[in-house]
Amino acid sequence: MKHWWRHLCGLAAVAFSLFPIVFVVSAALNPLGTLSSTGLVPAGAGLGNFTALFTKTGFPQWYLNSVLVAGLAAAAGVFLSILAAYAFSRMRFRGRRVGLMSLLLIQTFPQFLSVVSIYLVFARVGDYYPALGLDSPWGLMLLYLGGALGVNTWLMKGFLDTVPKELDESAVIDGAGHAQIFFRVTLPLVAPILAVTGLLGFIGTINEVLLANVFLRSDDAKTLAVGLYGLVAEQRNANFGMFCAGSLLTAIPTVVVFQALQRYIVSGLTAGAVKG
């Protein structure tokens, strides 16, 4: 046991990491459902908080809204970002450098600073197209989509710069056009960064609460983050059990997406930092 202290540090790190998870699980199974009565080991554990969550709140609709908004926003963000990244990486045109720097500069300002402008814009849009205005999951999806394009484009461009351009030239010699090169040659090679960007976009969207709380008001339009926040905003002690139960169920889509994209994660996160 020459290096016993390493094992001790490892056990301490594991215990520190598992403590919040154990506490949340205990709170979700606590029959009293209050923060003050929650401990690491619940007395008389049961599923009452899960039942109350589905029967006394709009949790099923919140869940559906979150999965749809996060999934569609992540997919659309990945597709639009890879199109922009491909243009910046493979093509040379006037304004290319200015466009890249503008995308980077815009990302330095937190999106929440423009919440008043965003609110006014979507309020006006809602007058003509209610489905895309305030208090609409589809309008919220557009908001998330616009905020993610800049950083995603830069991330993907760094990855695309590592793909040899000789592959494109060979495809051109064989008679392929830009669209064929993009879909048949480039996309299969950059699948890791597509998976990583999609995963990060999905996680960021499904957990976002600040803009969604301003944007969504009606109970049917709320996402999980907004709905669960409303449970503890005014009655933190009384509804803590339902809040923790909802938090556990909220983690399921993220875990499913992570497991589906797991084989791309390591290569996608490291390759984009090689060049660009």
Side-chain angles (χ1 to χ4, degrees):
M1 296 295 292
K2 182 178 180 180
H3 303 292
W4 61 269
W5 59 272
R6 296 183 180 179
H7 299 282
L8 182 61
C9 292
L11 291 175
V14 171
F16 182 80
S17 302
L18 291 179
F19 174 79
I21 300 176
V22 174
F23 185 80
V24 170
V25 172
S26 176
L29 298 177
N30 179 19
L32 297 180
T34 61
L35 176 60
S36 58
S37 63
T38 300
L40 288 180
V41 180
L47 301 177
N49 289 319
F50 291 91
T51 302
L53 185 67
F54 279 91
T55 57
K56 297 181 179 180
T57 69
F59 184 80
Q61 185 63 45
W62 304 343
Y63 208 97
L64 178 62
N65 291 342
S66 288
V67 173
L68 286 177
V69 170
L72 293 177
V78 167
F79 181 70
L80 294 178
S81 297
I82 192 62
L83 291 177
Y86 181 80
F88 282 122
S89 177
R90 289 295 194 263
M91 302 177 185
R92 297 296 180 266
F93 51 89
R94 181 175 298 179
R96 173 179 174 274
R97 184 175 180 82
V98 175
L100 283 171
M101 292 298 104
S102 299
L103 285 176
L104 185 61
L105 179 63
I106 292 174
Q107 297 306 307
T108 62
F109 297 94
Q111 192 177 20
F112 194 72
L113 293 179
S114 59
V115 63
V116 175
S117 301
I118 291 174
Y119 187 92
L120 294 177
V121 168
F122 277 92
R124 181 61 62 89
V125 170
D127 294 337
Y128 300 95
Y129 306 99
L132 300 178
L134 293 173
D135 204 25
S136 167
W138 302 108
L140 182 65
M141 185 189 70
L142 291 180
L143 175 60
Y144 289 149
L145 186 61
L149 290 181
V151 63
N152 289 350
T153 300
W154 266 95
L155 184 64
M156 292 182 179
K157 178 189 176 298
F159 197 103
L160 282 169
D161 287 343
T162 65
V163 178
K165 295 183 179 180
E166 289 77 9
L167 296 175
D168 296 8
E169 296 170 357
S170 299
V172 171
I173 294 176
D174 291 335
H178 287 299
Q180 291 175 312
I181 295 173
F182 176 74
F183 286 104
R184 296 186 179 182
V185 178
T186 305
L187 281 188
L189 296 176
V190 299
I193 197 61
L194 299 180
V196 170
T197 306
L199 176 63
L200 295 178
F202 185 86
I203 293 175
T205 302
I206 203 169
N207 292 329
E208 201 281 325
V209 64
L210 293 177
L211 291 174
N213 194 41
V214 174
F215 205 86
L216 303 175
R217 289 303 177 194
S218 63
D219 197 58
D220 290 339
K222 289 181 179 179
T223 59
L224 282 170
V226 178
L228 293 179
Y229 171 76
L231 292 179
V232 295
E234 298 180 357
Q235 303 181 37
R236 182 170 303 175
N237 185 57
N239 296 327
F240 189 73
M242 285 194 296
F243 174 81
C244 290
S247 300
L248 292 176
L249 296 176
T250 302
I252 294 177
T254 303
V255 173
V256 171
V257 173
F258 180 83
Q259 290 297 325
L261 304 177
Q262 183 177 358
R263 61 194 180 112
Y264 299 111
I265 299 301
V266 175
S267 58
L269 285 175
T270 57
V274 175
K275 181 180 178 182

